[in-house]
Amino acid sequence: MWFERKKEEKKAEKPEEKHGFFDRFFQREKASEKEAETAKITEAAKIAEEAEKAEAAKIAEEAEKAEAARIAEEAEKAEAARIAKEAEKAEAAKIAETIIEPEKKGFWGKTWDVLNRPIFTIDESWLGNLQDRLSKTREEFVQKVRRVVLGHTRVDEDLLQDLEEILLESDVGVSVSEEVIDHLRKKAKAAQLSPEDIPEEMGNYLEGYLGEGTPIRLERGKFNVVMVVGVNGTGKTTTVGKLANRFQAEGFKPLIAAADTFRAAAIEQLEIWGKRADVPVIRHKEGGDSAAVVFDSIKAGQARGADVLLIDTAGRLHNKANLMSELEKIRRIVDREAPDAYHEVLLVLDATTGQNGLKQAEVFKEIVKLTGVVLTKLDGTAKGGVIFSIARDLGIPVKAIGLGEKLEDLKDFNPKLFVKALFGGESEE
């Protein structure tokens, strides 16, 4: 019985034993899965933590770089401002150094200057002088006309042809010559002209091209800017010196800007003229920026109470584009820094170049708005007839003429007196 009972118990225990084994197995599997999941979660948390730390480090690094860049930028700006301030001070000191002051004159020196101020306008009392200065043009132009009409008893085509040749040789120009001859022909056909009347009639007709005298005039109580343009060699720089002397004598306070920085001789020449005329000169080094010279000159003039700024410009006509750019830049500086200034833009032409001077004038007329012409070296040429072409073809008044090397030899142009000096009779010489 006991054996049977044990056997039954053993049988009853076996299924339980089998069930307990699988249960444990699944429990172990479950535990393993839980452990794996826990490990996975732990690993994910660890990765997330490391990523968060890396991101935080990256943000901190970028913030540090941005802050360093900001500090560097502020430091750079501060340094740039300091350098600019020092440069401004240095430039101001340089401007002060570049103003070439004339020697101071005492009481008697000033009194002598007042008593001996030159006269820049010419009238009838100066006629003989003017005839002497125009002697070459008179001889090669007017006296030839006088001689050619002596052999004729009437005005015919042969005489008119001879007269036209004389006009052309005197650089009066093709257009003016043709118009003068047409006028004489009409007068002759109307029986209103004899050969001996031709010099006077020609003079009267030519005077009509010149119009009324339009001298150089500045405005008192304003800042005046006189820009002088022209080809190198025309007497441009000399004219600036003579104008400075003139304005000084007329009671203005002029200043000269040596803006022809491409020609060292021009700067040196201006310094000499400045000393002779007792007028300060603003200059930079050779090859510098001409517009910068003008800028400094305006500032110096305004600071010193000057009322006239004379600008000597470069005359490199062989490079029209560069010249145009340079003159436009100068004009922009003047308009910006002295917007209320009164402007004169004077073209200096050399009378000895004749019709070539007229071609130069046409180029400059395209580049800048000219207000007048200064015709130099009339005392040394037989080509003074070009003045009529200038007046006709350019439509710009001749405002002054150069009749010698002295400071006072730049005179206001008087059309009536000029024609009278040219065509006046022998007794007036």
Side-chain angles (χ1 to χ4, degrees), residues 225-242:
V225 177
V226 182
M227 186 159 71
V228 183
V229 301
V231 176
N232 293 335
T234 57
K236 174 172 54 69
T237 301
T238 300
T239 298
V240 171
K242 290 180 178 180

Side-chain angles (χ1 to χ4, degrees), residues 261-279:
T261 58
F262 293 91
R263 195 165 60 95
I267 299 173
E268 294 167 4
Q269 191 180 356
L270 267 186
E271 290 176 354
I272 294 169
W273 280 108
K275 287 177 182 176
R276 287 177 65 184
D278 195 29
V279 175

Side-chain angles (χ1 to χ4, degrees), residues 293-397:
V293 177
V294 173
F295 176 84
D296 290 347
S297 300
I298 292 173
K299 292 302 180 186
Q302 291 169 341
R304 290 166 160 264
D307 47 15
V308 184
L309 175 63
L310 282 152
I311 305 173
D312 182 27
T313 61
R316 300 167 297 140
L317 194 57
H318 62 279
N319 195 328
K320 182 179 171 183
N322 285 356
L323 179 61
M324 183 182 295
S325 174
E326 185 177 307
L327 294 179
E328 284 176 350
K329 189 176 178 183
I330 289 174
R331 187 57 191 256
R332 284 198 304 272
I333 292 291
V334 172
D335 289 342
R336 188 187 72 203
E337 301 301 326
D340 300 323
Y342 172 76
H343 294 276
E344 279 273 17
V345 183
L346 301 175
L347 171 65
V348 179
L349 294 178
D350 180 353
T352 64
T353 62
Q355 289 297 307
N356 286 333
L358 186 62
K359 291 175 183 175
Q360 295 168 11
E362 288 169 352
V363 174
F364 275 99
K365 189 180 178 183
E366 293 176 14
I367 296 173
V368 288
K369 187 177 180 181
L370 301 171
T371 60
V373 171
V374 177
L375 192 61
T376 63
K377 307 179 187 179
L378 270 171
D379 57 315
T381 183
K383 298 180 177 181
V386 71
I387 199 167
F388 301 107
S389 284
I390 292 169
R392 179 198 179 278
D393 296 340
L394 295 181
I396 302 167

Side-chain angles (χ1 to χ4, degrees), residues 134-145 147:
L134 298 176
S135 60
K136 290 186 178 180
T137 298
R138 278 169 57 81
E139 178 59 34
E140 292 301 315
F141 177 20
V142 181
Q143 300 304 355
K144 278 187 176 180
V145 170
R147 285 193 291 269

Side-chain angles (χ1 to χ4, degrees), residues 65-93:
K65 284 181 180 178
E67 181 65 13
R70 185 186 65 79
I71 293 169
E73 187 179 358
E74 287 180 356
E76 190 176 346
K77 284 181 181 177
E79 181 65 13
R82 184 187 66 78
I83 291 170
K85 194 171 182 180
E86 288 182 357
E88 190 176 343
K89 286 181 181 177
E91 186 64 19

Side-chain angles (χ1 to χ4, degrees), residues 113 260 329 399-400:
D113 285 348
D260 185 359
K329 189 176 178 183
K399 293 196 169 187

